[in-house]
Structure formats: structure tokens, C-alpha cells
Amino acid sequence: MPNKSAGLTGRALAVYSKDMKVELRSKYAFNAILMFGITTLAVVSFTLGQSGLSASLLAALFWIIMFFAAMAGLAQVFVREEETGTVLALRLAADPTAVYLGKLFFNLSLMILIAFVITPVFFIFTDAPVDNILLFVLVLILGIVGLCAATTIVAAIISKAGIKGALFAVLSFPILFVLLLLLVSASTRVLEEATLGGIALELQGLVAYSGVMITASLMLFKYVWQE
Amino acid sequence: MYKLSVINLTKRFGFRKVFTDISFELETGRALAVVGPNGSGKTTLLLTLLGGFRPNKGTVTFQEDERVMPAETIRDHTALVAPYLNFYDNLTAEENLIFFSAVSGGRVTGKELTGLLEQVGLAGRGDDPVGSYSSGMKQRLKFAAAILKQPQFLFLDEPTSNLDNDGKKMVFDLINGFKSRSILVLATNEKEEQQLAEQVCRLDR
């Protein structure tokens, strides 16, 4: 009889490390997201030249890039299971909560990795002020958690559909709209050199958004995951 | 002692009835053969029993020592071997087995893996990506995963498909091994496989 001691954490880690191995060997999602981010940044920065942008436009540009980068790659986490036909084996073997958490952490890792590349390039290309960089990173982390929390559950919903790419963006947009408004507002203030207290309201909103989204996803995922 | 009770199970896809009012009861050590022509719903019945499809009517109950097993624990006690069940092509056979064991809450050692692969005729191929396997080798790997899990409820859909004569002999030996300690449900039209079961469920198109 095999040792059945592993709890939810161990099972979620198994899903996470499996997805990391598959991604490291195919690099499909990573390349798709990175190429989108770098291409968009390069086009925008060469178009703008040295004209300079206001803090609100810079913040909007940054989160537009992050939003579409997420759209380009994060759905793969479920779409790939569906397209390679492995979804049945996973569904029969794994607890739905472990699958959701494993996929969520995988998407988080992917977006953090992408942010490590895109954020410095964004600051270099746009000449945005870097005085408040720690606060910007805090907003970035909360933004990534919110983006991943929302896109992971939407990816699970659209994975069975025929036109996955279009549906992913259409379904994600209304869910992410509030998050993007909060992120653009917080990032604008950070670029205008606001203090931590100055963006407290936005930070509370971001934490609440991710909390609600992850809790709702954990409650709903098993129904999305079946049949 | 484990028990599988199915009462008046009915499944429809839209207006099309797949099967109606299927009922049976099985205890550990017993096997059921699900037979019927192509398209009669054998695979759908197996997947409905496993929770892959929600039935339109009827109940499926898994019991352990006369107590109904909670839904969230059932998947740790069940396994399916079927031609349409796909493993991860980018991972090696050993990585697949480690993953499916871990995700079911188990743990497996390197020595156990080596023995397991030898048992299913895949000795020396554990480090190869599953994408490079033939369909017969993939079928053998699915049996390795089932052995690793040691399920109390084993579901087999065309268990000898894609296998050569050696592979078929291995499967019959394995099924006979499983029979003493598990409940078996086989979807098949092969006479030899049907003879392994004491009960038969016949489906019509």
C-alpha cells in the first residue's frame, strides 16, 4: 500500500512542479509572454522617442503591457492540459483544490519571472522615475497576485471552449477592470512620488481583490473542473 | 471490505440517452464486465462511475466496511486504465509515475519504480520521455500507474488494446492479481476479458 500521508500542500506542490517541468521543457507560455512584453515595450518606446509621458500614462502603459502579457500566456496552464488530452488523468487523480493551487502558483511564478524582465526594461525605455522603486515593486507584487488569481480561474473556465484566446480576453476584461483601475491609480501615485500612506486605499483594495478572487475561486473551482 | 453500489444510473447528452437505469452491486474480489457494441456508452458509464460525468438520474456509492466513503477520498482509491487516458509526453515515464503518485498523496522510491517498470515490461525505458513511447508502451505505463496506486476500485476500458501477445499475458496476470483485493469494472468486447468477470452489464445502442 503506498504511503498516503501527503496533504493538500504536497499535492499542490506536485502539480506545481509538474507544470514547471513541462514549461521548462517547452517554454511555450514563457516565450509567448516575454515576446509580447518586449515587443510592445520596444514599439512604444521607439514611437515616443524622448517626448516623455506623464505618470498616469506611464502607469497605464505598464499595466496594459502586463495585462496583455498575462492574456498571452497564463491561459496555457489549463488549455495545454485540454489540448494534450492529459486533463482526464489529472482530473481522476488530483484533488481539485490541489490542482487550482498548483496552477495558481505556477502562473504566479511565471508572471514574477516575466516582471523581473519587463519592469527594468520598462524603466530604461520610458525613462520613468525610479525614486519610489520599492513601493512600485509592492504594487507590482499585489498586481501580479490579482492578475493571476483572476486569470487562473478564467483559464479553467475557457479551456473547454473552441475559441479560447478570444474568450479568455473577453471573460477576463470585466473581472480585471477594477483591478487594473486600482493598479493604474496606485502606480501613478507611486511614480508621482507618493508615500506608502498616500496609496493606502489602493493597497487595501488590491489585497481585498486578491483575497476575494482566490476565496471565490477555491469555492467554485471544483464545479468548473468537473464535466 | 469495499463495495460499489449503482442504482438506476441514467445518462443523457442533450436529448440522446446513453444508458438508462443501470443497477449493480460489487464487493471486493468481484468483477463486472460492461459489454455492448461501439457507441453503446461503455466508456461513458465508466467515466460516470468515476465522477467524470454527472448522471442525470441514479446514484453511485463507494463503501468501505459498510460506511459510505466521502466524495473527496474516492479518487485516492480508484484507478482507470484506458486508451484515451493520456500521460505527459514531455515528462519521462518515471517522472509521470512520481507525479501521479504524489498527486494522489503517495510517495515512491527509485527502487520501487525500477521494479514496477520491470513488471510491466518497460525495464530500462524509465528515463525516456513518454512522447517517444509507442501506444503499447503507453498502455503498459498506465498499468504501472495503476499498480503503484494499488486501488480498491479498478476500472479498465479495453485493457488489452494496443498490446502485443506478451503485453496481453502481462495484463491478464495483473488483472488476476488485482482481482483478489479490488473491485474490477471492465469495459470490453473481448471474450477472453469478459471471462474474467462474474457479472455482466450489457448495454444497447
Side-chain angles (χ1 to χ4, degrees):
Chain A
M1 185 72 188
N3 176 0
K4 301 250 171 152
S5 61
L8 181 65
T9 315
R11 294 170 193 232
L13 273 175
V15 174
Y16 171 79
S17 62
K18 182 271 295 175
D19 278 340
M20 286 302 273
K21 268 184 204 158
V22 171
E23 178 58 29
L24 283 172
R25 284 171 202 176
S26 68
K27 296 185 184 68
Y28 186 86
F30 182 80
N31 286 344
I33 297 176
L34 192 65
M35 280 315 296
F36 179 87
I38 299 288
T39 309
T40 315
L41 263 174
V43 169
V44 170
S45 64
F46 283 117
T47 309
L48 292 173
Q50 296 298 312
S51 56
L53 290 175
S54 66
S56 58
L57 279 177
L58 280 172
L61 173 63
F62 180 79
W63 285 108
I64 285 168
I65 293 168
M66 292 298 281
F67 169 74
F68 282 107
M71 292 300 102
L74 296 191
Q76 288 306 316
V77 77
F78 284 106
V79 171
R80 191 163 40 201
E81 300 276 4
E82 208 56 62
E83 286 178 349
T84 56
T86 51
V87 68
L88 178 64
L90 185 62
R91 193 177 288 145
L92 293 178
D95 179 75
T97 308
V99 174
Y100 172 74
L101 290 174
K103 302 280 186 192
L104 174 66
F105 288 129
F106 170 76
N107 272 348
L108 280 171
S109 304
L110 201 62
M111 279 308 283
I112 288 169
L113 206 62
I114 296 298
F116 260 114
V117 180
I118 288 180
T119 311
V121 177
F122 170 79
F123 276 93
I124 293 165
F125 278 12
T126 60
D127 208 17
V130 290
D131 307 334
N132 241 352
I133 194 71
L134 285 178
L135 217 47
F136 189 87
V137 170
L138 177 65
V139 173
L140 177 62
I141 291 169
L142 291 174
I144 287 173
V145 174
L147 269 177
C148 291
T151 50
T152 303
I153 189 73
V154 175
I157 293 169
I158 60 103
S159 61
K160 293 187 190 80
I163 42 165
K164 298 174 178 66
L167 200 58
F168 187 49
V170 168
L171 277 183
S172 296
F173 180 71
I175 296 170
L176 289 173
F177 187 65
V178 177
L179 175 73
L180 289 170
L181 286 181
L182 283 169
L183 287 168
V184 171
S185 169
S187 304
T188 303
R189 285 162 182 256
V190 169
L191 292 172
E192 287 170 347
E193 297 178 15
T195 58
L196 184 63
I199 57 164
L201 204 61
E202 284 89 344
L203 292 180
Q204 284 170 12
L206 289 171
V207 171
Y209 178 92
S210 297
V212 167
M213 199 51 74
I214 291 172
T215 308
S217 298
L218 283 169
M219 290 165 71
L220 294 173
F221 184 73
K222 67 178 173 186
Y223 302 105
V224 174
W225 187 233
Q226 296 299 322
E227 195 171 0
Chain B
M1 177 69 81
Y2 291 85
K3 198 188 270 185
L4 173 62
S5 307
V6 175
I7 301 169
N8 294 332
L9 201 66
T10 299
K11 180 67 190 168
R12 284 190 302 269
F13 288 121
F15 292 109
R16 193 173 68 83
K17 272 188 181 174
V18 184
F19 50 79
T20 312
D21 290 330
I22 302 287
S23 299
F24 60 83
E25 196 170 276
L26 291 166
E27 287 185 347
T28 301
R30 305 280 294 179
L32 171 82
V34 181
V35 300
N38 297 142
S40 59
K42 299 189 291 295
T43 296
T44 306
L45 175 59
L46 255 63
L47 292 178
T48 307
L49 297 177
L50 282 161
F53 291 124
R54 218 165 283 141
N56 296 93
K57 198 183 100 186
T59 57
V60 179
T61 314
F62 291 81
Q63 285 176 278
E64 180 182 7
D65 298 330
E66 303 297 322
R67 286 193 308 272
V68 175
M69 295 166 70
E72 62 274 13
T73 66
I74 291 169
R75 69 171 57 80
D76 287 346
H77 297 271
T78 57
L80 170 71
V81 177
Y84 47 82
L85 195 74
N86 290 340
F87 284 0
Y88 295 93
D89 280 353
N90 281 341
L91 302 184
T92 67
E94 288 192 0
E95 286 170 340
N96 268 288
L97 292 174
I98 290 168
F99 167 65
F100 282 107
S101 173
V103 92
S104 307
R107 208 176 296 153
V108 60
T109 64
K111 202 175 165 186
E112 283 172 320
L113 282 176
T114 309
L116 197 56
L117 290 169
E118 205 168 309
Q119 194 181 347
V120 296
L122 293 173
R125 302 297 301 269
D127 290 331
D128 293 353
V130 169
S132 69
Y133 274 23
S134 69
S135 50
M137 290 166 78
K138 285 179 180 173
Q139 183 75 351
R140 287 167 184 260
L141 186 63
K142 290 168 202 171
F143 273 100
I147 298 168
L148 186 60
K149 200 169 182 183
Q150 295 187 17
Q152 282 74 39
F153 304 87
L154 180 60
F155 297 82
L156 304 169
D157 197 347
E158 299 176 23
T160 54
S161 67
N162 300 318
L163 290 173
D164 54 20
N165 287 336
D166 281 350
K168 285 180 182 169
K169 186 183 173 307
M170 176 210 77
V171 166
F172 284 114
D173 290 345
L174 284 176
I175 290 175
N176 282 319
F178 270 117
K179 263 198 79 176
S180 58
R181 55 179 189 274
S182 305
I183 288 171
L184 285 181
V185 180
L186 296 111
T188 182
N189 281 322
E190 299 289 327
K191 285 275 181 293
E192 214 178 344
E193 291 168 15
Q194 288 175 30
Q195 284 165 2
L196 294 165
E198 296 82 16
Q199 292 171 240
V200 176
C201 171
R202 207 168 294 280
L203 299 178
D204 298 315
R205 195 154 35 191

